[in-house]
Amino acid sequence: MPEPIGTAAVLRSAYSAGELTTVEIADRVLAAIGDPTGNPIWISTVPAAQLRARAVELHERRDELAVLPLYGVPFAVKDNIDLAGLPTTAGCPEFAYRPDRTATVVTRLLDAGAMLVGKTNLDQFATGLTGTRSPYGRCESVFGGGLIAGGSSSGSAVVVAAGLVSFALGTDTAGSGRVPAACNGIVGMKPTRGLLSVAGVVPACRSLDCVSIFTHTPDDAATVFRVAHGVDPDDPWARPLPADRSAARPPATLRLGLPRAEDLDFFGDLGQRDRFAAGQDRVAVLVGETEPVGLRPLFEAGDLLYQGPWVAERLADLDDFLRSRPDAVLPVTRKVLESGRRYDGAQVFRARHRLQELRAWTDRLWQRIDVLVVPTVGTTFTIEEIDEDPIGRNTMLGRYTQFANLLDLAAVTVPNGFTEAGRPASLTLVGPAFSDTTLIRLAAALAAEPSPSGPTVSGPTAAEPTVSDPTVSKASDASDDDRVLLAVVG
Amino acid sequence: MPEPIGTAAVLRSAYSAGELTTVEIADRVLAAIGDPTGNPIWISTVPAAQLRARAVELHERRDELAVLPLYGVPFAVKDNIDLAGLPTTAGCPEFAYRPDRTATVVTRLLDAGAMLVGKTNLDQFATGLTGTRSPYGRCESVFGGGLIAGGSSSGSAVVVAAGLVSFALGTDTAGSGRVPAACNGIVGMKPTRGLLSVAGVVPACRSLDCVSIFTHTPDDAATVFRVAHGVDPDDPWARPLPADRSAARPPATLRLGLPRAEDLDFFGDLGQRDRFAAGQDRVAVLVGETEPVGLRPLFEAGDLLYQGPWVAERLADLDDFLRSRPDAVLPVTRKVLESGRRYDGAQVFRARHRLQELRAWTDRLWQRIDVLVVPTVGTTFTIEEIDEDPIGRNTMLGRYTQFANLLDLAAVTVPNGFTEAGRPASLTLVGPAFSDTTLIRLAAALAAEPSPSGPTVSGPTAAEPTVSDPTVSKASDASDDDRVLLAVVG
């Protein structure tokens, strides 16, 4: 079984110390992706010769390490993000096209020295939160046991969790950058809309789409975010990060919102309920003060996405394809997309008006608190369980994520140990637009803090997951701040 | 014929000097509105006893003059703005209701000492730019001759131009705060969306609606704007004026955009063409530099309003009424509103996506220039001419105004003399969101500057309008900076 690739921070230390070369990392990556796991995480990979050539080029430029923040760091991108030279499928072979240009956000990462390995599986057209809606196969969580990988950025989360790359890009409209992080025990950062360019990304809901970042550590997410963000003239949705918001606020100065118990629904999963209770306590000790917060306006906003007129936004770009090639679209995806046809123009505006009222409510919330902590998902499902009710259980998975982009929020998802049943738990720190760096800093403080029941990221149950797969093993990986990382190879 | 009420600045001087009392002004206002002109400018007026009581109350509080910036200043509001005690009709008697609460923006003016006189006629549901779409009668411009007053804030513009009040509130979605200013030779300020509360205002397109200000002078507009703006928790669309944008930039520091000649269409009205050429030259000498600017992306954005899916936004609030009481709605208004039914949800989102591209284009424009000058209207029409083609000519009237709210712009309309045919000319200064005070300051500089052909506001042709009405007369009114004002009483 291939040795997991380290974090960007670990690789940087090793490159700096002369203990590692980009060529060695490229060879390890190639060995790992050549080792079939049966998990359909890749849709396409960069040809081996091309990856090696990139590694050689970077090796020859090793004196530029100081100015290349992602020097020699291997990464993957979700296959709805363009890379010149490989097709973009968006999870639909009949939709695939060969882009002339690489997406701006990918170019920024490459310019910073990163090495692109390949393009990952996803729920078709990034529509779904399960990872099971793909003709390229249904991804399983890195923890095995038939657990879903979560979606829509299923492959991107697994390739990071499995240690095949240091980081990956996903996209996040309803929670696609957070749910898969939860299902795979990693960090998922959903930046504020407009900070990472969506030029060269297949649209889901253009007004809401974000590029997201999967990493093992909040520090790595911070590094990738710093490189990846920046106003792109080719992206009409781009927004600059205001200068007065670019510095992270220290956790001790923050007011933390804690959800009222009656607003939390774990869909009967008491293990997740207990993990969240423990997790929010761990966040609470890091901040200045806490305040109870009602979540119902957030849920109402979130319901506009799949249970409301925003489904029609998905049709804005896809309807022609859907009408001309209906059989090319998976039945469940088609059903979701076609539900957008029942909304007329006035209904869209009416929902937009209601959303404005909910945004105003949320704006007032940010006068009382700086960060809100929520479960990432209320419960987890196996692939079989999703098959029993693919739309209803998808909706459950989105409960705590789908409001974020509608309400113009930023979010960082972090692992929160495992339930007694061995399922991964996760929590998400949510803040107003442009709170990105503050959220990452709080996530880093949380990751650095030993939890009452053991190390944060792995946790005692993580060390012995009861939902396991014969191929799952663990390996420790000293990060730059000496905390213990679990790299689980699927 | 009643003597015209002065500007707010003139009244303030007179009150300060003890030369005038609020009771005297109230009596003059009551005499003027009791003097029938045949022009259906009012829908309702505050009962005489109530206005007198307000004047007496203010007279007793005359020691508060220093802290009441609108002490004793009479004003009117368009009848789609709530005032507790009078019905709100929105230009439709069957729609009328009696509000319990006064609109926030009106309360702010009253709290500053202003005296509300009455509620003015408008195009039904603020849908239209002509002033001819009202069952309460069709307003004529203060210049008479059968010229339209412009709409939808027809009555508010005429009551100011006629000297019956010092200022009036209108609303502006497609240009309703600017076109009537152009038709009546006064100042019309359309603030940045969200700065003046729309709580208690009948919605037209909620995502675009603004409360607007009609005055004789830019200085008065600045005073009213200062009092009227402010975040209202009851208005979900409210936005604060950023602290770093609240100070006006000096005209000499500004870069002015001048429309390329090939983008300007005066619909064959050479008089308006010549006036605009002269007017933009007058603005150009006040600024630091000028640059030619193409207007086509602005026009494309503007066409989304009435020729695109934003008509469906008007249905979001009105469709139930329209379906249950179709005969209560004027045929032309009904036709416009019903055209919103042909848009489906996906079309709305597609148009929103295109608008975002046009907004991005506009954002880049504001990196090159600070202010753009455009004609307010390309030509003017008589009521008869509107009747010949009520929808087509309405569209012509909106050419240079209807893009502003879609593109999140601020605008200040100022008089620009008269054509040789005696029609009023007008130009509009347009800037990005939150440029309001900079635009007003530039407008004030323009008003203070003698034009090559005579005083700015009146102009030689204004002194002898060839389109005239027997009831039109003129009076001079020394403003606080000694420039000559024309107050035309209709």
Side-chain angles (χ1 to χ4, degrees), chain B residues 159-182:
Chain B
V159 294
V160 171
L164 302 179
V165 291
S166 299
F167 72 93
L169 297 185
T171 58
D172 186 315
T173 303
S176 295
R178 290 162 280 162
V179 172

Short mmCIF file of all heavy atoms in Angstrom, two decimals, chain B residues 159-182:
data_model
loop_
_atom_site.label_atom_id
_atom_site.label_comp_id
_atom_site.label_asym_id
_atom_site.label_seq_id
_atom_site.Cartn_x
_atom_site.Cartn_y
_atom_site.Cartn_z
N VAL B 159 -45.50 69.35 -8.01
CA VAL B 159 -45.73 70.18 -6.81
C VAL B 159 -44.48 70.93 -6.39
O VAL B 159 -44.56 72.03 -5.84
CB VAL B 159 -46.32 69.37 -5.62
CG1 VAL B 159 -47.72 68.87 -5.94
CG2 VAL B 159 -45.40 68.25 -5.16
N VAL B 160 -43.30 70.34 -6.67
CA VAL B 160 -42.06 71.06 -6.39
C VAL B 160 -41.85 72.16 -7.43
O VAL B 160 -41.63 73.33 -7.10
CB VAL B 160 -40.85 70.10 -6.35
CG1 VAL B 160 -39.54 70.89 -6.27
CG2 VAL B 160 -40.98 69.15 -5.16
N ALA B 161 -41.94 71.77 -8.70
CA ALA B 161 -41.68 72.74 -9.78
C ALA B 161 -42.64 73.93 -9.70
O ALA B 161 -42.26 75.06 -10.00
CB ALA B 161 -41.82 72.04 -11.14
N ALA B 162 -43.87 73.65 -9.27
CA ALA B 162 -44.88 74.71 -9.20
C ALA B 162 -44.72 75.57 -7.94
O ALA B 162 -45.48 76.51 -7.74
CB ALA B 162 -46.27 74.08 -9.24
N GLY B 163 -43.78 75.20 -7.10
CA GLY B 163 -43.56 76.02 -5.90
C GLY B 163 -44.58 75.80 -4.80
O GLY B 163 -44.73 76.63 -3.91
N LEU B 164 -45.29 74.69 -4.82
CA LEU B 164 -46.30 74.42 -3.79
C LEU B 164 -45.69 73.86 -2.52
O LEU B 164 -46.28 73.95 -1.44
CB LEU B 164 -47.36 73.44 -4.33
CG LEU B 164 -48.10 73.91 -5.58
CD1 LEU B 164 -49.09 72.84 -6.03
CD2 LEU B 164 -48.82 75.22 -5.33
N VAL B 165 -44.54 73.22 -2.65
CA VAL B 165 -43.77 72.70 -1.52
C VAL B 165 -42.31 72.93 -1.85
O VAL B 165 -41.95 73.21 -3.00
CB VAL B 165 -44.02 71.18 -1.30
CG1 VAL B 165 -45.44 70.91 -0.82
CG2 VAL B 165 -43.72 70.39 -2.57
N SER B 166 -41.46 72.74 -0.84
CA SER B 166 -40.02 72.92 -1.10
C SER B 166 -39.39 71.68 -1.70
O SER B 166 -38.45 71.75 -2.48
CB SER B 166 -39.30 73.26 0.20
OG SER B 166 -39.80 74.46 0.74
N PHE B 167 -39.90 70.52 -1.27
CA PHE B 167 -39.35 69.27 -1.84
C PHE B 167 -40.43 68.21 -1.79
O PHE B 167 -41.47 68.39 -1.14
CB PHE B 167 -38.08 68.82 -1.11
CG PHE B 167 -38.30 68.26 0.27
CD1 PHE B 167 -38.47 66.88 0.46
CD2 PHE B 167 -38.34 69.09 1.39
CE1 PHE B 167 -38.67 66.35 1.73
CE2 PHE B 167 -38.53 68.57 2.66
CZ PHE B 167 -38.71 67.20 2.84
N ALA B 168 -40.17 67.11 -2.49
CA ALA B 168 -41.10 65.99 -2.48
C ALA B 168 -40.33 64.70 -2.62
O ALA B 168 -39.22 64.67 -3.17
CB ALA B 168 -42.13 66.12 -3.61
N LEU B 169 -40.93 63.64 -2.08
CA LEU B 169 -40.37 62.30 -2.29
C LEU B 169 -41.09 61.65 -3.46
O LEU B 169 -42.32 61.75 -3.59
CB LEU B 169 -40.55 61.42 -1.05
CG LEU B 169 -39.85 61.86 0.22
CD1 LEU B 169 -40.06 60.79 1.31
CD2 LEU B 169 -38.35 62.09 -0.01
N GLY B 170 -40.32 60.97 -4.29
CA GLY B 170 -40.86 60.08 -5.29
C GLY B 170 -40.31 58.70 -5.03
O GLY B 170 -39.74 58.42 -3.98
N THR B 171 -40.49 57.82 -6.00
CA THR B 171 -39.77 56.55 -5.98
C THR B 171 -39.17 56.38 -7.37
O THR B 171 -39.60 57.04 -8.32
CB THR B 171 -40.67 55.35 -5.65
OG1 THR B 171 -41.72 55.27 -6.62
CG2 THR B 171 -41.26 55.48 -4.26
N ASP B 172 -38.17 55.51 -7.48
CA ASP B 172 -37.46 55.37 -8.74
C ASP B 172 -37.01 53.93 -8.89
O ASP B 172 -36.15 53.47 -8.15
CB ASP B 172 -36.25 56.32 -8.77
CG ASP B 172 -35.54 56.33 -10.11
OD1 ASP B 172 -35.32 55.25 -10.69
OD2 ASP B 172 -35.21 57.44 -10.59
N THR B 173 -37.62 53.26 -9.85
CA THR B 173 -37.22 51.88 -10.18
C THR B 173 -36.58 51.88 -11.57
O THR B 173 -35.48 51.39 -11.76
CB THR B 173 -38.44 50.95 -10.12
OG1 THR B 173 -39.01 51.05 -8.80
CG2 THR B 173 -38.06 49.51 -10.42
N ALA B 174 -37.29 52.50 -12.54
CA ALA B 174 -36.79 52.56 -13.92
C ALA B 174 -36.34 53.96 -14.31
O ALA B 174 -35.77 54.15 -15.37
CB ALA B 174 -37.89 52.11 -14.88
N GLY B 175 -36.62 54.93 -13.44
CA GLY B 175 -36.30 56.31 -13.79
C GLY B 175 -37.35 57.28 -13.28
O GLY B 175 -37.34 58.47 -13.62
N SER B 176 -38.26 56.80 -12.43
CA SER B 176 -39.40 57.59 -11.96
C SER B 176 -39.01 58.77 -11.10
O SER B 176 -39.85 59.64 -10.83
CB SER B 176 -40.35 56.69 -11.16
OG SER B 176 -40.91 55.71 -11.99
N GLY B 177 -37.78 58.83 -10.65
CA GLY B 177 -37.32 59.99 -9.88
C GLY B 177 -36.52 60.94 -10.74
O GLY B 177 -36.11 62.01 -10.28
N ARG B 178 -36.29 60.56 -12.00
CA ARG B 178 -35.46 61.39 -12.88
C ARG B 178 -36.24 61.93 -14.08
O ARG B 178 -36.15 63.12 -14.40
CB ARG B 178 -34.24 60.55 -13.36
CG ARG B 178 -33.25 60.28 -12.23
CD ARG B 178 -32.31 59.13 -12.55
NE ARG B 178 -32.96 57.83 -12.33
CZ ARG B 178 -32.57 56.66 -12.83
NH1 ARG B 178 -31.51 56.63 -13.62
NH2 ARG B 178 -33.22 55.55 -12.55
N VAL B 179 -37.03 61.07 -14.73
CA VAL B 179 -37.79 61.54 -15.89
C VAL B 179 -38.73 62.70 -15.53
O VAL B 179 -38.77 63.71 -16.24
CB VAL B 179 -38.54 60.36 -16.56
CG1 VAL B 179 -39.47 60.86 -17.65
CG2 VAL B 179 -37.53 59.35 -17.13
N PRO B 180 -39.48 62.63 -14.41
CA PRO B 180 -40.34 63.77 -14.07
C PRO B 180 -39.55 65.03 -13.71
O PRO B 180 -40.01 66.15 -13.97
CB PRO B 180 -41.14 63.28 -12.85
CG PRO B 180 -41.00 61.78 -12.87
CD PRO B 180 -39.67 61.51 -13.48
N ALA B 181 -38.35 64.85 -13.15
CA ALA B 181 -37.51 66.03 -12.90
C ALA B 181 -37.15 66.69 -14.22
O ALA B 181 -37.19 67.92 -14.36
CB ALA B 181 -36.25 65.62 -12.12
N ALA B 182 -36.82 65.85 -15.22
CA ALA B 182 -36.48 66.38 -16.55
C ALA B 182 -37.65 67.13 -17.16
O ALA B 182 -37.48 68.20 -17.76
CB ALA B 182 -36.05 65.24 -17.47
#
